[in-house]
Every structure is written in structure tokens, then in C-alpha cells.
Amino acid sequence: MSVHKKSREEIKLMREAGNIVALVHQEMKRIIEPGLSTKDLDEAAFRIIKEHKAVPTFLGYNGFPASICASLNGEVVHGIPSEKTILKEGDIISIDVGATYRGLVGDGAWTYPVGEISDECKMLLETTEKSLFAGIEKMRDGALLEDVSGAIEDVAKSKNLGIVRQYGGHGVGRNMHEEPFVFNYRVGNSFVLKDGYTIAIEPMLNLGGDDVHTLEDDWTVVTNDGKPSAHFEHTVHVTDGEPEILTKLL
Ligand code: MG
């Protein structure tokens, strides 16, 4: 497996890319409310990414038609924004954003409540966010990638949540998807993390079972049982000290 360690200059640009992703999320948090369409959210994201002289990484990626993925309730990931998808009170909406700044990518996702949501959806969001940060905490020079996966799995299992098996985190940098792949559960992986690696950690947890499938649009991934799913993601820089989250405001 070839994993590319980033130079100081590349890390600097990834902080810029990550800042733009964080600005988009700041705006999502501000504007999401009942009555808005996911197309409205996509347009807001596109505008912010362009204003900051970056490129929406997802737009055109394997033919994807938008700047964000917007996945509603039982949709897990890769939902296509649409003017027909209108947010309503009690929904949860997962927004995944990529921005490429001077050739380097930032990738980050967050699941937002629309108005007041059920207690079980609150628990799903809180637990998935907690599992992300439990994984990030393990991202240290010399640590096993397996420990990141295990930390996510343990948080998910503590609340009996389903863990999406077919998708996971990934190296990120000059490309959106680089090695290594990061499972969100233990697989017996002996891969060792090193200073200079940049990896997107992205647990996808379900209120119901683990199983998911892709709809006929060839993009939207949904839970088999139709129960809600949440997705939280940060791009993280492994250092010789504390892990550095790159998808945050500068
Ligand atoms: Mg990702």
C-alpha cells in the first residue's frame, strides 16, 4: 500500500481547503430549516466554495451532479440535491462537502437536525459525532489504524447502533480518495499511522441494522430497513503530537 506523506506546503494548502469546507458547514448550520430544498443547500455551498477560489471536489466526480451530497433520514450518503427534496420539521440531513484549493482537498460531513427532532435521532447524531472524535483521538504517529476503527466501533456498539460496512474513511490530499481505507469497525488491520498522513475519518451509523443498498439513481445509499442514518467526517492530519483537524475554521 502506498500512502503519501504530505509536505508542510501541502498541509498548509489542506488547512485552506479545510477552512472552506468548514465555512460551508457554518452556513449549512445557519440556514437549514423546514421548507428549504436540498438544491438550495447545494447552491449555497457552490457559492461559498467559488468565492474562496476553490473547486467543488464532488461536482463531476464520477459524474456526480452537485457540489454537496445531501442525504435525508434513511439515506446514508451520496444523496443528490434536488429542488423536490424539501426539508421538514423532524428530519435529519447529512451534508458532505469537498473543496479543492490549489490542488489539495478538504472533505467533511455533518448531520444536522431540521427543527425539533426525536430523542432517538438526537441520540443517533450525538453518538455518531462522539464516535468520530473517539476515532480522531487515536490518530497519532505510531498508532494502528485498527485502533481508530475500534474506537468508532466501541462508541457505536455502546448505543446498539448499526455500522455501515461498505463505506468508510480514506486517505485524502491531492486526490479525494487515497490509501488507506478506514473501516468503521475492527478488521485486524496492522497499518501504522505516521506523522504527515492526512486521512478523512467518517463514521456512518444507523438507528437500525448495518445493511444498506444503492438506489436506481446509482448514487443514493439508503438503509435497508429505512431507519435514519448519520454521517460525521473530518479530514485529519496525523502529527508527532495531537491530531490536527484540517476541516475547521482558520
Ligand atoms: Mg470522505
Side-chain angles (χ1 to χ4, degrees):
M1 177 155 44
S2 80
V3 180
H4 175 54
K5 273 194 187 193
K6 273 66 178 185
S7 67
R8 289 170 73 103
E9 182 58 25
E10 285 173 317
I11 294 290
K12 246 175 87 176
L13 293 174
M14 287 187 74
R15 284 191 193 106
E16 296 287 343
N19 177 56
I20 297 163
V21 169
L23 286 168
V24 171
H25 279 294
Q26 179 176 255
E27 181 68 358
M28 295 295 118
K29 186 176 181 191
R30 193 180 74 79
I31 67 176
I32 283 174
E33 62 174 20
L36 225 56
S37 77
T38 52
K39 177 83 175 160
D40 296 329
L41 301 179
D42 184 54
E43 285 170 359
F46 179 83
R47 194 176 58 243
I48 291 167
I49 293 167
K50 286 292 182 185
E51 272 169 11
H52 290 82
K53 303 192 177 353
V55 174
T57 315
F58 299 175
L59 186 60
Y61 185 87
N62 292 331
F64 190 76
S67 301
I68 59 170
C69 299
S71 308
L72 190 67
N73 298 328
E75 297 174 352
V76 180
V77 287
H78 307 162
I80 300 173
S82 163
E83 58 202 0
K84 292 184 194 141
T85 306
I86 310 290
L87 302 178
K88 62 179 197 311
E89 184 88 15
D91 284 342
I92 59 170
I93 179 78
S94 300
I95 304 294
D96 196 349
V97 185
T100 307
Y101 182 76
R102 292 171 59 191
L104 276 298
V105 176
D107 186 8
W110 208 260
T111 302
Y112 299 94
V114 182
E116 208 36 55
I117 60 172
S118 68
D119 286 345
E120 60 176 6
C121 279
K122 274 183 202 159
M123 180 276 283
L124 173 67
L125 268 49
E126 282 166 13
T127 308
T128 311
E129 181 181 349
K130 190 175 159 197
S131 75
L132 168 64
F133 286 100
I136 291 172
E137 175 57 31
K138 299 287 182 187
M139 297 190 63
R140 288 156 192 276
D141 182 79
L144 292 176
L145 190 56
E146 180 79 345
D147 296 336
V148 177
S149 302
I152 293 168
E153 179 179 16
D154 289 346
V155 173
K157 292 217 164 135
S158 74
K159 296 289 184 182
N160 273 319
L161 295 175
I163 301 173
V164 175
R165 307 276 156 170
Q166 295 93 323
Y167 301 89
H170 50 91
V172 54
R174 296 221 168 255
N175 299 292
M176 178 158 61
H177 293 120
E178 300 181 351
E179 292 175 350
F181 183 79
V182 187
F183 291 91
N184 289 317
Y185 56 98
R186 291 177 182 82
V187 289
N189 188 347
S190 61
F191 182 87
V192 178
L193 295 169
K194 296 218 164 58
D195 183 9
Y197 287 179
T198 49
I199 300 176
I201 302 299
E202 49 178 321
M204 286 148 258
L205 304 184
N206 304 335
L207 261 184
D210 298 344
D211 296 336
V212 301
H213 65 277
T214 304
L215 296 183
E216 280 184 355
D217 64 10
D218 285 336
W219 282 107
T220 314
V221 177
V222 299
T223 54
N224 282 8
D225 57 19
K227 294 202 176 159
S229 184
H231 179 207
F232 287 76
E233 175 184 34
H234 273 307
T235 298
V236 182
H237 170 210
V238 179
T239 74
D240 56 7
E242 292 290 313
E244 180 191 7
I245 293 174
L246 295 170
T247 34
K248 68 171 174 37
L249 297 174
L250 282 176

